[in-house]
Each structure stands twice: as C-alpha cells, then as structure tokens.
Amino acid sequence: MAITDSSIQLLAAERLTDFDDGGGMMTGNVVEDGASNNLFDDISELDRTYGRVSLRKCYAAVRTALDDKYFGSHVIVARAPDDPLVSLTMFNSKSWNDERSDARDFIERYMARGGKWQGYLWERQLAGQRVIQIWQRPQVELPSVGAVFCLVNDIDKPTEV
C-alpha cells in the first residue's frame, strides 16, 4: 500500500505564539487542515488598524506505519488569504529548533542592503514594474536565481529613495 495524502500532515511546533521564544521543536499535535485559527490567532481590530506580523512554525511529516519509500514532497500556498489586507510568506529555516526571534532575524536580513553590484540598469525603471533589464560586462558573474536587488535613486543624498 502506498503513502497517501492523508499520511502527510502538518505538525505544530512547541510554542505557537508571537513571543520571541515561539516555535521550537516538533510536537505530535496535528494542525488540522481547513480549521479556523488552528495555527494563527484571529486578527484583532488593533492589529487591523496598526498592522502586525505573526510568525508560526510548523512541520510537514509522514505519519504512517508502512515502510514504503517516500520520494519527497513540496509545500505550496494554493490560495491567497481571503482578506486583501493579509499577506503570507512561507520559508524553510533549515533548523529543527529555532524560535520566532531567529525567523524574524532571517526575514529582516533579506531587507538589508549588501554590496554594490557590478552592472547597470538599462533604460528607465518605472514604479511597480515587475521586470527590470540590466547590463553588465561578460566577465561579471550573472545574478543567481532568487537574488535580491535593492534599487536606490540618489544614493547617499538627501533625496535618496
């Protein structure tokens, strides 16, 4: 008998909270599929007014007594949240015991500027466009897939944007 979809479950971390120690190791508690508020708390009126970032850790696990081969899996967000003011980001921390503060630091590092890239933007770049054209010398290494560019106008000037 093969491993089925019902054998793959999301399991909660030790602490499902927004405190710095939220997260932790995997538990045997199943995060029930389709149940309301099973991973995140309700959005309060204050959260809606001022904004809030909630981080939760969960684990994908194969729970079966079978010894069939498991060839891997992937996780996707199949549908965006119904509320247009709510967004979702999913990532793998590659750690079994990290906590909310570690995840927060990981996300914030994504937004920190790194070194200057050895290339140029080609033509005008319009606010909101989803594609940029870049120019660089052949000997310069191409940007890797998933690389993040921070576009800055008037760098180190009072008009910097």
Side-chain angles (χ1 to χ4, degrees), residues 43 48 80-88:
I43 300 172
R48 213 169 269 297
D82 293 334
D83 188 335
L85 298 177
V86 173
S87 61
L88 179 114

Side-chain angles (χ1 to χ4, degrees), residues 35-56:
S36 182
N37 301 332
N38 59 357
L39 201 55
F40 293 95
D41 299 330
D42 256 343
I43 300 172
S44 72
E45 289 303 316
L46 281 176
D47 293 345
R48 213 169 269 297
T49 303
Y50 295 114
R52 180 181 182 90
V53 174
S54 289
L55 297 171
R56 294 294 187 272

Side-chain angles (χ1 to χ4, degrees), residues 16 25 31 38-39 47 49 52 59 63 68 71 84 98 100 108 111 114 122 142-144 148 157:
L16 296 177
M25 298 292 285
V31 177
N38 59 357
L39 201 55
D47 293 345
T49 303
R52 180 181 182 90
Y59 298 84
R63 300 184 74 183
D68 289 345
F71 295 107
D98 58 348
R100 185 185 193 280
E108 289 175 355
M111 298 175 61
W122 185 258
L142 291 172
S144 61
V148 177
K157 295 180 183 174

Side-chain angles (χ1 to χ4, degrees), residues 54-90:
S54 289
L55 297 171
R56 294 294 187 272
K57 184 169 187 165
C58 60
Y59 298 84
V62 178
R63 300 184 74 183
T64 179
L66 303 174
D67 61 356
D68 289 345
K69 289 185 180 179
Y70 180 64
F71 295 107
S73 65
H74 65 278
V75 178
I76 64 167
V77 177
R79 193 181 81 187
D82 293 334
D83 188 335
L85 298 177
V86 173
S87 61
L88 179 114
T89 300
M90 183 170 43

